[in-house]
Amino acid sequence: MDSTWINAPAKINLGLDVVRRREDGYHEVKMIMQSIRLFDRLTLKKTRTPGISLTTNLHFLPVNEDNLVYKSARLLMEEFGITEGLSIFLDKRIPVAAGMAGGSTDAASCMLAMNRLFHLGLSLEELKTRGVTLGADIPYCLQKGTALSEGIGEILSPLPAAPDCYVLIAKPGFHVSTKFVYSNLVLDENTVHPDIDKMLDCIQNRDLHGLCHNMANILETVTIPAHPDIALIKQTMMENGALGALMSGSGPTVFGIYEDRKEAMRAKEICRSLPCRCFVYVTDFYR
């Protein structure tokens, strides 16, 4: 086999809590992660020319060591002494800097594809051990599905599949700095934390309404005051049939959960007309 391709699914956070800030500067989190059917696609080919050649459909993306895909490929090539060249084409469909782990899922998928292409024989756990050195979300993006994420994001516990539903994604036309959000997050005795354990119970009982009622993201306390359009998107979804709406990650993407696809599609058109000019997409969970 001289070439292969792989889909890299986006993720959303059904719940996100920050437990504490550690002395090393990292934040300990407790999150419910869910992959969705919105994909980037990577195509990998062996070449006779040594080294890594990365190209993409988006001209503004880096194609050198500043790209996590490049870093993940280099990590495995150096460890296993791969002397053949590697050409990677990244067809980017997940919005950039959207709080949906686009870069991490691309890196994870590159590692999975290389493991197959070069017959490296690495287990999923062995890939996770290597992936976390590049980014805290990469182990989850290797595992996918529904999972509880703890520590800095690297401690993963698989969960039963979340209840079936439709997901409306709306990413407004601005970016949010993750560093800014975490730097301005206040954690003190007055902080109201999401009830992640209640959400876990709802998933276990396949209670979609209860899950949506308890969805919460502590990072909204920073991102929404800085970007009020996020609150407008959430309100628009809730007024148009969503069982629940939440910001994913540090933002700015908002997702709404729907039982009825027609309602989700109708809300999609309404969100498309908002002044913040959203990228909108209706999908479902990726199992």
Side-chain angles (χ1 to χ4, degrees):
M1 184 171 63
D2 292 324
S3 66
T4 190
W5 62 268
I6 188 169
N7 282 335
K11 69 86 186 166
I12 55 176
N13 299 97
L14 299 176
L16 194 163
D17 191 17
V18 178
V19 179
R20 70 182 183 97
R21 181 181 174 125
R22 306 194 318 189
E23 291 183 1
D24 61 8
Y26 285 97
H27 289 80
E28 285 195 4
V29 297
K30 191 172 183 179
M31 307 183 290
I32 298 178
M33 313 279 270
Q34 176 64 58
S35 44
I36 60 173
R37 292 185 181 277
L38 171 59
F39 304 99
D40 292 341
R41 176 173 286 197
L42 289 86
T43 304
L44 288 75
K45 296 180 180 179
K46 296 179 181 178
T47 65
R48 294 182 179 179
T49 305
I52 302 165
S53 170
L54 173 62
T55 55
T56 177
N57 60 315
L58 299 182
H59 66 87
F60 56 83
L61 288 181
V63 291
N64 54 19
E65 59 274 2
D66 293 327
N67 191 302
L68 275 176
V69 170
Y70 191 102
K71 287 182 179 179
S72 65
R74 183 177 62 185
L75 183 152
L76 293 181
M77 292 186 79
E78 290 180 350
E79 178 180 352
F80 289 90
I82 297 171
T83 56
E84 295 170 279
L86 178 65
S87 169
I88 307 171
F89 176 67
L90 170 60
D91 187 9
K92 192 77 180 156
R93 301 299 173 186
I94 302 168
V96 176
M100 291 194 286
S104 294
T105 192
D106 293 340
S109 296
C110 181
M111 296 178 77
L112 288 167
M114 287 187 66
N115 193 39
R116 184 168 67 227
L117 185 63
F118 293 101
H119 308 287
L120 303 182
L122 294 170
S123 68
L124 182 60
E125 292 305 314
E126 288 171 329
L127 286 169
K128 288 180 183 178
T129 299
R130 290 158 175 80
V132 74
T133 65
L134 300 177
D137 277 346
I138 292 177
Y140 166 73
C141 292
L142 286 160
Q143 178 175 307
K144 299 182 276 290
T146 312
L148 174 66
S149 173
E150 298 175 281
I152 63 169
E154 86 286 11
I155 303 172
L156 297 170
S157 303
L159 298 174
D164 292 337
C165 61
Y166 297 95
V167 184
L168 170 58
I169 300 293
K171 194 272 179 184
F174 55 82
H175 297 323
V176 171
S177 165
T178 300
K179 182 178 179 181
F180 167 83
V181 174
Y182 276 94
S183 297
N184 288 276
L185 179 64
V186 176
L187 297 174
D188 58 26
E189 64 277 4
N190 297 315
T191 302
V192 178
H193 291 270
D195 192 345
I196 300 296
D197 290 337
K198 180 65 174 176
M199 294 184 64
L200 294 175
D201 288 340
C202 292
I203 291 173
Q204 189 71 42
N205 295 323
R206 300 196 60 77
D207 178 4
L208 181 62
H209 285 254
L211 175 63
C212 291
H213 178 73
N214 287 281
M215 288 194 313
N217 180 348
I218 198 170
L219 300 183
E220 288 187 344
T221 61
V222 179
T223 310
I224 287 181
H227 299 281
D229 281 336
I230 294 172
L232 174 62
I233 298 169
K234 289 182 63 177
Q235 179 184 348
T236 301
M237 290 182 178
M238 293 300 295
E239 290 176 349
N240 290 277
L243 299 180
L246 194 69
M247 183 183 79
S248 183
S250 56
T253 298
V254 175
F255 65 90
I257 302 295
Y258 290 79
E259 284 185 301
D260 183 80
R261 188 176 185 275
K262 288 183 178 179
E263 275 196 307
M265 295 300 292
R266 182 176 64 83
K268 169 188 169 182
E269 295 308 314
I270 294 170
C271 287
R272 191 195 298 275
S273 66
L274 290 173
C276 49
R277 298 180 61 83
C278 293
F279 163 88
V280 288
Y281 190 78
V282 172
T283 183
D284 59 1
F285 291 157
Y286 179 75
R287 309 299 185 185

